[in-house]
Amino acid sequence: MVGRTEALSRTLAGFLLRRLAASLLLLLLVLTVLFFLVRRVPGDPTQFGEGSRLTPTQRERLQELYGLKRPLLAQYLDWVSSVSLRFDWGTSLSQQRPVSAALLDALPATAILAFSGLAVEYLLALLLGIAAARRPGSGLDHAIRVGGLLLYSLPIFWLGLMAVLLFAYLWPVLPSSHMHSVDVDLLSPAQSLLDLGRHLVLPALVMGFGVGGGTARYVRARLLEVLGQDYIRTARAKGLSERRVLWVHALRNAAVPIVQLVGVTLPGMLSGALLIEVVFSWPGLGLLAFNAILARDYPLILGATSFSATLVILGNLAADLAHAWLDPVVRNEAA
Amino acid sequence: MSRRRPAPTLLWGGALAGLLVATALAAPLLAPYDPAEQLDPPAGLYRPPGTVLAAVHLAGGGWRLADRVRRTAEGLEIERLGQAETLPADQVSNLTARGVADRRVFLLGSDRFGRDLASRVLYGTRVSLAVGLLAVALALTLGVAVGSAAAIGGRLADAVLMRGVDALMAFPWLFLMMALSAFLHPGPGLIVVILGATGWMAISRLTRAEILSLQNREFILAARGLGLSPFAILWRHLLPNAYTPAAIRATLQIADMILLEAALSFLGLGLQPPIPSWGNMISEGQDVLLQSWWVATFPGAALALTVIAFNLLADGLQDTFNPRAATLPRL
């Protein structure tokens, strides 16, 4: 028995490792392509922003300082070795500090936004999905299905702008952008937390509602699938209350594909967060990457892209593990 | 294929999508003005929806947009930019007995150059649909090719290709697309390539799964027994029977592609002005959201309507032809 469990976890580990290896290989490939592409394009960071006022000699000096004049291959090998061996992404040209510091500064903002958005999304999805699945084919079910489709069809950045228009301007109850008020330093810890919460409401709601409609449809479909199974009929035949059948037996079994969905939609969520961050000037990774691109800050662009890709890869790994933990069958499938 | 009752969403989605395609084709007939035309920008900019202005054609060429005109014995008195001006009769070429012959109606308002927003939104239909449909055509081609290759190419090809597809699906493409667009300054063609080249993975998975499920059916075994080449079997027997899920998925992705193009253009990294892309129109509107709400609102509403139409269509196709398949929400 012990031997069998070991063999299973070994194959699961093997499966996860193969996935991880493929993802990392892709990441390296993408970054390599990006590295050379970025450098091949005319225009370098010494020509943007403050750089436009430089004299030719100053510019040359800067290019030397940033290592932009060395052979491209040497720059590339340097970059790969320092990233992979020392986790050192170099120095951001526009912020004049280590790329890793800029990334780590932006990470909490994105994490707060993403988790709040996720919470709104799944709360909405479970509520609507369960309500629809309880009486399939009813008017409520149709309304939720069609409403869900309409909701996830709305462009998230436009939804954000409309939310600003409605709740920050026509009916000004919430702040329209940024993460804190300007006077946040003067506030007490409790007040500043409240301040953060007020700034979080619109972006998190927009993010959650923007994708929650689709997730609700998914929850409904999975629940209906489960409700058609034999063991549900057995549970009903045993005389269990409909509430118990739905909330305990059906939902627990629908949880597996729903957790899987979190992993599958992770890249999309990060993209959504990026747009939301740009709309609401939310100082996260997306806004950082966006500004880095506008400033042609090569090290920061490469750092932000690889960092967010790594987050997605890790998130997928976590979702796979959670999936395996919830559903022992997957171990056999993975073998 | 037996006759099926089309789902109501299919009818609605199909009708809406058809209407949008017709709008795109007939944009020059439907649009009241040229989407790039700027008549007298200082007087025409940021006019709210429903504004009607008198268009005074000057004899020396050029136009003046006036809030009010009054015909007098000597010529024309106009009120423009809050100031009264008097124009002699010989300086105005479209003078009539009561005023001027032309007027400009900003049905949905005007933008920062005094361009007619309604015309721009109408022309935007062309841009969005063309980009969306072409990108999906590319994704469909790539996806079917890779999926078929994985399904009939042997175990090694299958393992390598599908592992690659897994990895590609778990990549935050918007970050990369942003970087690519920023450095390549893409035109419409390159945007289509970027979108298509990053959107074929789900189609390839579905194609592969469908072909694998057909591989051991009797008609395929028979074809193989007759000595047909694997490629002939694929082309004549497997693909014609395996296309439904891929085609439905492709329909679903039209909406995704349209959204992605709009998102890139919104970030200023997709189609550049003066191309009337809804995304860059929304972006221009963001800057003046609180002063001129219509600039961002109407292109976004058109975008939402288009995405709704194609999502309904795809959902209806799914319900009608493949009711048991799982529907995964995307993006």
Side-chain angles (χ1 to χ4, degrees):
Chain A
M1 196 58 204
V2 173
R4 185 162 167 265
T5 319
E6 259 176 23
L8 286 178
S9 60
R10 208 168 31 243
T11 50
L12 175 68
F15 168 73
L16 293 180
L17 277 179
R18 279 198 301 276
R19 271 195 69 157
L20 195 63
S23 298
L24 290 177
L25 203 66
L26 173 76
L27 182 59
L28 183 69
L29 197 72
V30 165
L31 288 177
T32 304
V33 171
L34 197 58
F35 183 92
F36 286 103
L37 202 72
V38 163
R39 302 295 168 105
R40 261 201 55 232
V41 175
D44 70 52
T46 60
Q47 291 166 352
F48 290 85
E50 293 291 307
S52 52
R53 291 202 294 271
L54 294 176
T55 66
T57 13
Q58 284 172 322
R59 175 163 299 142
E60 205 141 300
R61 173 93 185 80
L62 267 185
Q63 285 172 339
E64 240 159 61
L65 198 68
Y66 291 153
L68 295 171
K69 297 197 112 179
R70 299 172 47 225
L72 210 51
L73 196 64
Q75 290 185 39
Y76 171 71
L77 291 176
D78 252 17
W79 182 77
V80 168
S81 65
S82 75
V83 166
S84 54
L85 299 179
R86 286 176 276 127
F87 299 107
D88 174 6
W89 277 292
T91 306
S92 157
L93 306 178
S94 61
Q95 300 200 4
Q96 292 297 333
R97 60 180 182 147
V99 167
S100 49
L103 292 175
L104 286 178
D105 267 4
L107 183 61
T110 295
I112 291 174
L113 177 63
F115 281 116
S116 321
L118 209 63
V120 173
E121 176 192 346
Y122 278 87
L123 200 66
L124 185 77
L126 285 174
L127 277 176
L128 294 181
I130 290 170
R134 280 174 76 167
R135 286 182 193 77
S138 67
L140 181 69
D141 181 34
H142 283 300
I144 289 175
R145 283 193 59 200
V146 174
L149 186 141
L150 298 187
L151 202 55
Y152 80 70
S153 297
L154 300 178
I156 202 163
F157 51 98
W158 180 70
L159 196 62
L161 292 179
M162 293 302 107
V164 168
L165 202 55
L166 288 178
F167 298 107
Y169 180 62
L170 287 179
W171 183 43
V173 283
L174 289 164
S176 64
S177 68
H178 299 93
M179 201 168 155
H180 304 284
S181 303
V182 278
D183 58 354
V184 68
D185 294 335
L186 307 174
L187 300 175
S188 72
Q191 280 173 321
S192 80
L193 200 65
L194 190 72
D195 182 59
L196 172 66
R198 276 170 47 80
H199 283 80
L200 184 60
V201 172
L202 281 185
L205 282 182
V206 167
M207 197 167 158
F209 271 77
V211 284
T215 317
R217 288 164 58 97
Y218 184 78
V219 169
R220 170 192 173 273
R222 296 294 80 75
L223 265 179
L224 285 182
E225 239 170 50
V226 171
L227 286 171
Q229 301 282 324
D230 286 342
Y231 59 83
I232 295 291
R233 205 181 322 147
T234 311
R236 284 191 177 131
K238 277 198 311 193
L240 293 184
S241 71
E242 193 57 25
R243 180 173 299 171
R244 199 172 157 76
V245 168
L246 182 71
W247 289 91
V248 178
H249 292 254
L251 208 55
R252 186 189 287 169
N253 286 287
V256 174
I258 292 171
V259 166
Q260 240 179 334
L261 181 70
V262 182
V264 173
T265 50
L266 211 58
M269 211 179 73
L270 215 57
S271 302
L274 186 152
L275 289 166
I276 300 259
E277 285 173 15
V278 171
V279 167
F280 288 96
S281 304
W282 189 265
L285 288 171
L287 192 63
L288 186 74
F290 180 66
N291 287 332
I293 283 167
L294 295 188
R296 308 246 162 168
D297 189 339
Y298 304 147
L300 193 52
I301 294 170
L302 293 168
T305 307
S306 51
F307 192 57
S308 42
T310 311
L311 285 183
V312 169
I313 291 169
L314 290 178
N316 271 308
L317 194 67
D320 282 344
L321 286 173
H323 182 192
W325 177 67
L326 278 169
D327 180 8
V329 177
V330 78
R331 296 177 203 162
N332 296 323
E333 278 175 4
Chain B
M1 193 167 284
S2 61
R3 271 184 64 87
R4 294 163 209 261
R5 244 187 69 163
T9 42
L10 178 61
L11 299 178
W12 279 100
L16 263 177
L19 206 63
L20 284 163
V21 171
T23 307
L25 292 175
L29 301 175
L30 294 170
Y33 306 107
D34 178 339
E37 194 178 27
Q38 308 174 14
L39 294 188
D40 194 9
L45 58 75
Y46 293 135
R47 291 305 189 123
T51 303
V52 181
L53 298 172
V56 181
H57 197 185
L58 301 180
W63 293 80
R64 289 278 178 276
L65 293 178
D67 292 282
R68 262 173 291 280
V69 295
R70 203 162 66 86
R71 184 79 164 87
T72 57
E74 309 85 70
L76 204 60
E77 263 178 28
I78 69 172
E79 191 189 318
R80 175 175 170 270
L81 293 170
Q83 289 183 332
E85 287 175 54
T86 311
L87 295 168
D90 60 339
Q91 275 196 22
V92 179
S93 63
N94 62 347
L95 206 61
T96 62
R98 306 190 51 195
V100 285
D102 298 286
R103 55 183 199 158
R104 187 138 280 232
V105 183
F106 292 128
L107 205 62
L108 300 182
S110 67
D111 70 1
R112 61 173 164 164
F113 297 116
R115 294 174 299 196
D116 177 44
L117 201 61
S119 304
R120 293 183 65 71
V121 168
L122 277 170
Y123 270 88
T125 317
R126 295 189 139 187
V127 176
S128 273
L129 290 192
V131 169
L133 292 173
L134 289 173
V136 166
L138 179 60
L140 189 61
T141 313
L142 288 171
V144 168
V146 173
S148 310
I152 67 169
R155 286 190 76 153
L156 182 67
D158 188 30
V160 170
L161 286 175
M162 284 303 117
R163 205 57 65 205
V165 164
D166 279 350
L168 287 169
M169 282 188 95
F171 201 83
W173 289 110
L174 193 60
F175 281 79
L176 186 71
M177 279 183 203
M178 256 171 52
L180 284 182
S181 317
F183 292 107
L184 298 175
H185 298 297
L190 200 53
I191 290 279
V192 166
V193 171
I194 291 179
L195 291 177
T198 53
W200 52 268
M201 286 83 79
I203 294 174
S204 78
R205 270 191 182 171
L206 289 169
T207 306
R208 169 183 172 273
E210 202 66 16
I211 289 180
L212 285 182
S213 77
L214 292 173
Q215 280 284 28
N216 292 321
R217 295 274 290 276
E218 276 172 12
F219 70 103
I220 300 299
L221 296 177
R224 215 173 281 153
L226 285 172
L228 260 69
S229 75
F231 189 74
I233 295 178
L234 175 72
W235 189 249
R236 268 191 246 150
H237 300 286
L238 288 171
L239 285 182
N241 288 293
Y243 74 91
T244 312
I248 291 175
R249 177 73 206 197
T251 321
L252 204 63
Q253 276 184 252
I254 297 174
D256 284 2
M257 298 291 187
I258 289 176
L259 269 180
L260 265 176
E261 179 273 313
L264 279 177
S265 301
F266 169 73
L267 293 171
L269 303 167
L271 299 174
Q272 300 297 324
I275 297 176
S277 151
W278 290 332
N280 68 41
M281 292 159 79
I282 296 172
S283 164
E284 285 176 6
Q286 186 189 8
D287 304 334
V288 292
L289 187 67
L290 303 186
Q291 300 85 41
S292 309
W293 56 269
W294 53 91
V295 186
T297 303
F298 292 122
L303 175 61
L305 185 71
T306 307
V307 174
I308 287 170
F310 283 101
N311 275 334
L312 276 176
L313 179 65
D315 196 60
L317 284 174
Q318 180 88 278
D319 278 354
T320 308
F321 294 105
N322 208 3
R324 301 197 50 204
T327 41
L328 259 187
R330 306 119 302 120
L331 192 73

